């Protein structure tokens, strides 16, 4: 007991770095005071990444979640102090552009900052020189200045949070090396160390780059790669002399020279320099020396001077004062990278009660700790964490070779200008649909997602684009795009097109209790006859949207579920009763979307079943044959046109494609890609989970309230929805006023001159002749004018009535 309150369950946190200390503080303040934090090294600097971290906190990121993590870290550390000194120094941040491409990208980043609520301003060379007098302004196009960013003092922040957590009953034990994880069945029970065993109801691995080591003890793969990153301190500079106040260790903004993969911060009269410009230097976490065996500390490897030599010359060119300085000391500091550059958070389903809080930088540490603490105590985090969850990785993305290759590439690209559609180069191809050979023959241009090769357009359709007028694009929006997408969209609207929908996740839910289980887990009414298809939602207890599903009842006790991510499978498996079997059938199956006004003319001659509207209505399913191929046909359309999704086993996929292609040639069939698909789905207002709606949104404000049936009985999230008032914000359809204007997503939206929301998804609507953007905004009247900021330009747009295309649904229901 602590303070008269229940101590809560027994929690053991492995790792007393900044994440473990922050988590202990966040758990104990929420009443879970039976918290023990273990570390193999001495406190408060046990030798992990935190012990050497330079502490840069630069909040702006393409990820809204990472920005929220960093924002909370700034707020929290600003309020902490040790020995009279604050744990955060708000010196600001300054990112320089020395190339036109980077200067353009800083305009984009300024838009991201406005979208996520970060104060930022674009400044010219003279202002950059004023903020950092040592910079050679003649090399600078401009900069992005974020005055509220700064330097986190990580070890003092650990000390402050240790004291707070201890005062509430938490305990911190150093010099305890974890040697094992005990379990009873599928639940964790204890942590074993060289100095005793600690019973636990929950164990959190916050071990940093030792995460894979702890994971192996628990039987859990932790997909992260430790890499060494170079950091040096210079000899004293006369230009920085005369500062004796320890509070003024740094007075100038953290400086990022991303064109050369470098960053700078002051250390009183010296400059600290970090470099990502060198070759990847992977570290085997199982071979890292113990604290007492390390030359300095386990996370500090010997400095490889030859790797830093080119960067040192770049530093001297940008900061001429360094020409008279030398490198006083340097080291290669170890920290963690994942295949997608995001943290790894959440509870393992294979070992209940075992949590991960890994691959977290100091920048995001307090924010991550708060989210994980909420998750553990309240059952859900207040932030959308889908891009950070352990469950996000496909099996194909968990091999050691994949983690190593992509983790290293994340290091290489950490400061690169990355387009939102830009795919990784390797390893590819990894996952391909059965149609891949035919797609190559048609000149498919593939991007990648979830390991899958996904055609975005087909060069074979280039002749069709010659008659389609499409506005020209700027260099950024023209990347990973082709006007051929417009031709494919037109062909879909006018004739018929084949879309490879294989990468979309498919689950089978079967067994005597399957209907009752799905009724409880989802929001819509699934108690319909076999052959029915229902659009429904997975909600959490607070009514937030965990996913949207398309559920086909194929037999009384068998359902096919169209889902989004591996997290959907994980969620269903966690809750499935013994008489319900849930399995992922994606890899063994494939799917072709046949859509367009001539879709029925294509498929009807290939089957003996009646595909008329009367016999095979919208949102219906039928198991039939197309030619020689058994298929499950579903009358669905995510492009707003007549058509079917045709599913078959992977071994028959190529035959299905060839059958449809041969039959469609007389009808002018085309293969169409994701670029056209995204344009068409936005014209119809179809939401994309993870982009347009997440757990932070409820169905009514997201515009999917039609998928909720409050009168069907109890279901997860129902009680929370009952208490909702009128939405104060809304996922809003916008049409850009200028037919030539384009935005891509994540841009800030201004109402009456002030930032009021952000774009979720956007694409040019080739049928409408305008770019369509969806944005989270306060409730606005149809016809209201707003502005979207795109690379510094305010682009006018108008709130539009949904759906923008075919509101009568006449094209789908015919």
């Amino acid at each position: 007991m602590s303070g008269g309150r229940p101590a809560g369950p027994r929690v053991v946190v492995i790792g007393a770095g900044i994440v473990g200390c922050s988590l202990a503080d966040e758990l104990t303040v929420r009443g879970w005071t039976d918290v023990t934090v273990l570390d193999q090294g001495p406190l408060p600097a046990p030798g992990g990444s935190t012990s050497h971290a330079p502490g840069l906190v630069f909040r702006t990121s393409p990820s809204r979640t990472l920005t929220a993590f960093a924002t909370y870290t700034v707020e929290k550390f600003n309020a902490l102090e040790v020995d009279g000194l604050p744990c955060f120094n708000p010196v600001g941040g300054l990112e320089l552009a020395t190339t036109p491409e980077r200067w353009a990208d800083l305009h984009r980043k300024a838009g991201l900052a406005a979208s996520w609520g970060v104060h930022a301003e674009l400044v010219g060379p003279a202002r950059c020189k004023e903020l950092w007098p040592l910079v050679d302004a003649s090399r600078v196009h401009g900069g992005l200045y974020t005055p509220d960013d700064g330097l986190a003092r990580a070890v003092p922040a650990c000390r402050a949070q240790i004291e707070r957590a201890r005062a509430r009953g938490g305990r911190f034990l150093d010099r305890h090396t974890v040697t094992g994880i005990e379990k009873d069945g599928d639940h964790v029970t204890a942590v074993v160390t060289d100095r005793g065993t600690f019973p636990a109801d929950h164990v959190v691995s916050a071990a940093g780059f030792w995460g894979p080591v702890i994971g192996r003890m628990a039987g859990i793969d932790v997909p992260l790669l430790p890499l060494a990153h170079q950091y040096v301190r210079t000899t004293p500079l006369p230009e920085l002399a005369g500062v004796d106040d320890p509070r003024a260790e740094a007075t100038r903004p953290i400086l990022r020279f991303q064109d050369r993969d470098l960053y700078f911060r002051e250390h009183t009269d010296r400059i600290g320099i970090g470099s990502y410009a060198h070759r990847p230097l992977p570290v085997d976490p199982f071979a890292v020396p113990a604290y007492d065996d390390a030359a300095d500390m386990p996370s500090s490897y010997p400095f490889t001077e030859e790797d830093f030599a080119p960067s040192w010359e770049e530093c001297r060119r940008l900061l001429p004062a360094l020409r008279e300085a030398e490198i006083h000391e340097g080291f290669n500091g170890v920290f963690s990278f994942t295949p997608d550059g995001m943290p790894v958070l959440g509870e393992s389903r294979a070992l209940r009660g075992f949590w991960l809080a890994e691959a977290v930088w100091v920048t995001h540490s307090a924010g991550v700790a708060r989210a994980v603490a909420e998750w553990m105590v309240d059952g859900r985090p207040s932030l959308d964490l889908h891009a950070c969850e352990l469950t996000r990785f496909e099996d194909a993305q968990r091999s050691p070779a994949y983690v190593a290759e992509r983790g290293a590439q994340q290091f290489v690209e950490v400061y690169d200008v990355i387009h939102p559609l830009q795919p990784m180069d390797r390893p590819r191809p990894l996952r391909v649909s059965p149609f891949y050979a035919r797609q190559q023959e048609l000149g498919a241009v593939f991007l990648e997602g979830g390991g899958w090769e996904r055609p975005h357009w087909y060069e074979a359709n280039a002749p069709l684009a010659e008659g389609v007028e499409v506005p020209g694009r700027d260099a950024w929006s023209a990347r990973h795009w082709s006007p051929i997408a417009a031709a494919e969209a037109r062909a879909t609207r006018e004739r018929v097109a084949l879309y490879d929908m294989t990468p979309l996740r498919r689950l089978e839910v079967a067994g005597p209790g399957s209907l009752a289980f799905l009724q409880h887990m989802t929001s819509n009414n699934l108690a319909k006859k076999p052959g029915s298809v229902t659009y429904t939602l997975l909600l959490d207890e607070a009514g937030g949207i965990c996913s949207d599903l398309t559920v086909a009842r194929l037999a009384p006790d068998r359902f096919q579920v169209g889902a989004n991510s591996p997290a959907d499978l994980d969620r269903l498996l966690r809750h499935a009763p013994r008489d319900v079997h849930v399995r992922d059938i994606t890899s063994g199956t494939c799917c072709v979307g046949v859509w367009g006004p001539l879709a029925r003319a294509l498929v009807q001659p290939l089957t003996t079943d009646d595909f008329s509207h009367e016999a095979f209505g919208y949102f219906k399913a039928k198991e039939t044959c197309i030619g020689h191929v058994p298929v499950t046909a579903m009358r669905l359309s995510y492009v707003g046109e007549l058509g079917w999704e045709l599913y078959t086993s992977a071994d028959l996929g190529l035959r299905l494609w060839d059958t449809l292609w041969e039959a469609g040639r007389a009808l002018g069939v085309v293969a169409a890609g994701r670029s056209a698909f995204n344009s068409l789905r936005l014209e119809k207002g179809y939401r994309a989970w993870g982009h347009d709606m997440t757990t932070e949104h409820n169905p009514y404000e997201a515009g999917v309230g039609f998928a909720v049936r409050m009168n069907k009985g109890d279901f997860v999230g129902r009680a929370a929805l009952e208490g909702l008032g009128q939405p104060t914000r809304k996922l809003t359809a916008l049409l850009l006023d200028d037919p030539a204007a384009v935005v891509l997503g994540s841009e800030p939206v201004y109402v009456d001159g002030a930032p009021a929301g952000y774009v979720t998804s956007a694409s040019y609507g080739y049928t409408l002749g305008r770019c369509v953007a969806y944005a989270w905004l306060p409730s606005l009247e149809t016809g209201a004018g707003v502005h979207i900021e795109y690379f510094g330009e305010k682009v006018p747009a108008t709130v539009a009535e949904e759906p923008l295309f075919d509101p009568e649904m006449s094209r789908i229901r015919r």
Side-chain angles (χ1 to χ4, degrees):
M1 300 287 288
S2 176
R5 294 179 301 174
R10 299 166 299 178
V11 180
V12 175
V13 179
I14 302 172
I18 192 64
V19 178
C21 293
S22 298
L23 179 58
D25 183 46
E26 295 289 338
L27 287 171
T28 55
V29 80
R30 286 168 172 79
W32 281 23
T33 57
D34 191 350
V35 176
T36 301
V37 183
L38 305 172
D39 205 295
Q40 61 184 339
L43 295 178
S49 301
T50 300
S51 302
H52 72 245
L56 280 67
V57 178
F58 201 97
R59 291 170 295 161
T60 304
S61 163
S63 165
R64 180 172 172 269
T65 299
L66 290 186
T67 298
F69 287 159
T71 297
Y72 181 71
T73 299
V74 169
E75 293 171 357
K76 184 173 187 180
F77 290 2
N78 252 323
L80 298 177
E81 64 175 44
V82 171
D83 299 333
L85 295 177
C87 293
F88 186 78
N89 185 357
V91 293
L94 177 64
E95 183 177 336
L96 298 179
T98 60
T99 65
E101 181 188 34
R102 182 71 62 176
W103 183 227
D105 190 56
L106 292 190
H107 285 75
R108 181 179 70 95
K109 286 187 175 178
L112 289 171
S115 289
W116 314 146
V118 175
H119 179 202
E121 55 184 289
L122 293 162
V123 296
R127 178 62 170 149
C128 292
K129 180 75 171 177
E130 182 182 337
L131 291 165
W132 251 86
L134 276 61
V135 167
D136 178 0
S138 68
R139 300 193 61 198
V140 176
H141 289 257
L144 179 68
Y145 178 46
T146 48
D148 301 323
D149 289 340
L151 296 165
R153 300 173 64 230
V155 172
C158 286
R159 284 181 57 194
Q161 293 178 102
I162 287 172
E163 292 171 7
R164 285 157 53 116
R166 277 178 173 161
R168 303 183 193 111
R171 60 176 175 167
F172 291 75
L173 301 176
D174 60 4
R175 298 294 188 174
H176 282 65
T177 300
V178 174
T179 59
I181 306 293
E182 292 187 348
K183 46 190 156 182
D184 181 6
D186 65 350
H187 205 289
V188 71
T189 58
V191 175
V192 182
T193 76
D194 58 350
R195 298 176 64 181
T197 297
F198 297 84
D201 303 300
H202 295 275
V203 173
V204 184
S205 177
F209 59 79
W210 285 286
V213 178
I214 302 301
R216 180 175 292 182
M217 296 177 192
I220 305 299
D221 290 331
V222 180
L224 67 80
L225 175 71
L227 287 154
H229 160 62
Q230 293 197 301
Y231 192 80
V232 305
R233 294 192 192 200
T234 68
T235 53
L237 275 69
E239 293 85 351
L240 301 180
V243 178
D244 299 320
D245 185 352
R247 295 172 183 268
E249 180 190 8
T251 58
R252 295 178 177 87
I254 52 177
L255 182 69
R256 298 206 295 180
F257 180 25
Q258 294 188 303
D259 288 320
R260 292 297 181 267
D261 298 312
L262 295 165
Y263 63 81
F264 307 83
R265 60 153 292 180
E266 294 172 289
H267 292 283
T268 311
D269 61 349
R270 305 164 188 257
I271 293 180
I273 306 167
S275 171
Y276 293 99
H278 54 83
R279 62 194 168 95
L281 299 168
V283 172
D284 181 358
F286 295 89
V288 174
Y291 188 92
D292 293 327
D293 297 330
D296 181 13
M297 65 177 81
S299 64
S300 180
Y301 274 53
F303 183 60
T304 50
E305 187 174 352
E306 66 278 7
D307 287 311
F308 193 74
S311 292
W312 182 235
E313 294 306 313
E314 292 290 350
C315 294
R316 289 175 154 182
R317 280 193 280 269
L318 181 71
L319 307 177
L322 292 179
R323 292 169 187 166
E324 303 302 320
E326 300 295 336
I327 298 171
H328 174 67
E329 60 183 352
F331 65 96
N332 291 1
V334 183
F335 66 141
S336 304
F337 281 81
T338 59
D340 58 6
M342 298 293 283
V344 181
L345 312 177
E347 183 190 22
S348 167
R349 178 174 47 81
L351 183 58
R352 303 294 178 94
F354 184 81
W355 296 76
L356 295 178
E358 298 291 8
V360 181
W361 295 5
V362 171
T363 303
H364 310 115
S365 55
V368 164
R370 178 177 66 169
V372 173
E374 290 173 339
W375 206 346
M376 296 175 71
V377 176
D378 304 328
R380 69 182 296 271
S382 56
L383 279 176
D384 163 44
L385 298 186
H386 82 271
C388 306
E389 291 187 27
L390 166 65
T391 54
R392 72 186 182 271
F393 294 109
E394 305 280 352
D395 289 344
Q397 298 173 305
R398 303 184 71 92
S399 70
Y402 186 96
V403 172
E405 190 164 11
R406 293 238 167 158
Q409 191 64 19
Q410 285 293 334
F411 178 92
V412 170
E413 295 181 350
V414 70
Y415 276 177
D416 288 359
V417 176
I418 302 294
H419 192 276
L421 292 176
Q422 181 174 324
M424 288 287 234
D425 292 331
R426 301 181 309 273
R428 293 180 62 193
L430 183 61
R431 306 176 78 186
V432 299
S433 83
F435 321 131
Y436 183 66
R438 297 294 182 264
Q439 293 165 344
Q440 288 180 303
E441 292 167 4
L442 293 170
V445 176
F446 295 96
L447 300 185
E448 181 265 351
W452 287 100
E453 295 296 317
R454 302 184 180 206
H456 271 243
W457 67 86
Y458 293 84
E459 289 295 333
N461 295 325
L464 301 178
E466 295 173 3
V468 179
E469 292 188 10
V470 183
R473 291 199 172 200
D474 64 278
W476 183 253
S477 63
R479 291 190 192 182
H480 309 294
W481 172 85
S482 168
I484 293 172
E488 292 174 1
R490 173 178 284 187
T492 308
R493 293 278 189 238
E494 295 180 352
R495 299 189 304 280
V496 62
L498 304 185
Y499 288 81
D500 181 3
M501 306 302 288
T502 301
L504 299 186
R505 184 165 305 278
R506 291 171 293 285
L507 311 177
E508 182 182 77
V509 180
S514 53
L515 175 60
F517 169 62
L518 289 172
Q519 282 283 74
H520 175 69
M521 292 297 296
T522 73
S523 63
N524 211 334
N525 184 18
L526 306 181
K528 302 173 183 176
K529 294 179 180 180
S532 63
V533 182
T534 306
Y535 177 81
T536 187
L537 307 172
L538 275 175
L539 305 178
D540 62 23
E541 295 290 351
I545 303 171
C546 297
S547 188
D548 61 343
L549 309 176
T550 302
V551 180
R553 191 176 191 185
L554 301 180
D557 294 336
R558 180 167 62 90
F559 296 80
Q560 181 171 308
V561 178
N564 286 296
S565 76
D568 297 344
L569 173 64
D570 185 83
R571 189 175 186 87
L572 293 176
L573 285 171
R574 283 177 186 271
H575 295 91
R578 290 179 180 273
D579 62 348
V580 174
H581 306 285
V582 182
R583 66 187 184 103
D584 191 329
I585 60 172
T586 308
S587 297
T589 57
C590 59
C591 178
V592 183
V594 184
W595 291 313
L598 301 182
R600 184 175 286 114
L602 195 162
V603 298
Q604 183 62 84
L606 301 175
T607 179
T608 57
D609 281 299
D610 188 350
F611 270 53
S612 68
H613 180 66
E614 295 73 21
F616 198 156
Y618 191 51
F619 265 78
K620 299 297 181 183
K622 185 176 294 188
E623 293 182 309
T624 182
C625 288
I626 298 294
H628 296 90
V629 180
V631 302
T632 299
M634 297 187 195
R635 178 88 182 274
L636 307 174
S637 175
Y638 287 95
V639 299
E641 296 293 336
L642 170 70
W644 288 265
E645 292 179 357
L646 302 176
Y647 298 88
T648 192
S649 56
D651 60 322
L652 291 168
L654 190 60
R655 182 60 178 261
L656 175 62
W657 180 277
D658 288 345
T659 300
L660 294 167
W661 187 259
E662 187 61 32
R665 292 176 65 180
L667 303 172
V669 71
V670 303
R674 297 289 298 181
S675 187
F677 176 89
N678 199 45
S679 170
L680 297 169
R681 72 102 181 162
L682 281 170
E683 289 184 328
K684 280 298 293 181
Y686 294 140
R687 277 62 169 149
W689 182 84
H691 295 279
D692 302 318
M693 55 190 186
T694 68
T695 54
E696 295 183 28
H697 310 111
N698 71 58
Y700 304 111
E701 58 191 8
V704 289
F706 63 87
V708 177
R709 292 292 182 272
M710 296 294 286
N711 60 355
K712 74 162 186 170
D714 192 31
F715 57 88
V716 176
R718 185 183 187 280
L721 297 184
E722 282 184 325
L724 293 177
Q726 284 296 112
T728 57
R729 61 177 180 175
K730 182 183 176 184
L731 185 62
T732 305
L734 304 174
L735 277 177
L736 274 61
D737 294 352
D738 181 354
V742 173
V743 298
L744 300 182
S746 297
E747 296 88 357
V749 182
Y750 289 74
V751 177
D752 297 329
Y758 59 92
V759 174
T760 58
S761 297
S763 179
Y764 198 85
Y766 301 111
T767 316
L768 302 173
R770 292 283 193 282
C771 183
V772 180
Y774 273 79
W776 279 103
L777 291 170
S779 295
L780 298 172
E781 296 292 328
T782 300
V786 301
H787 287 85
I788 303 173
E789 183 179 318
Y790 181 73
F791 284 87
E793 179 185 353
K794 300 294 196 304
V795 180
T798 302
V799 175
E801 189 73 33
E802 293 190 79
L804 304 174
F805 176 78
D806 188 26
E808 298 82 16
M809 302 284 284
S810 60
R811 298 176 71 90
I812 292 176
R813 302 177 186 274
R814 60 179 173 182

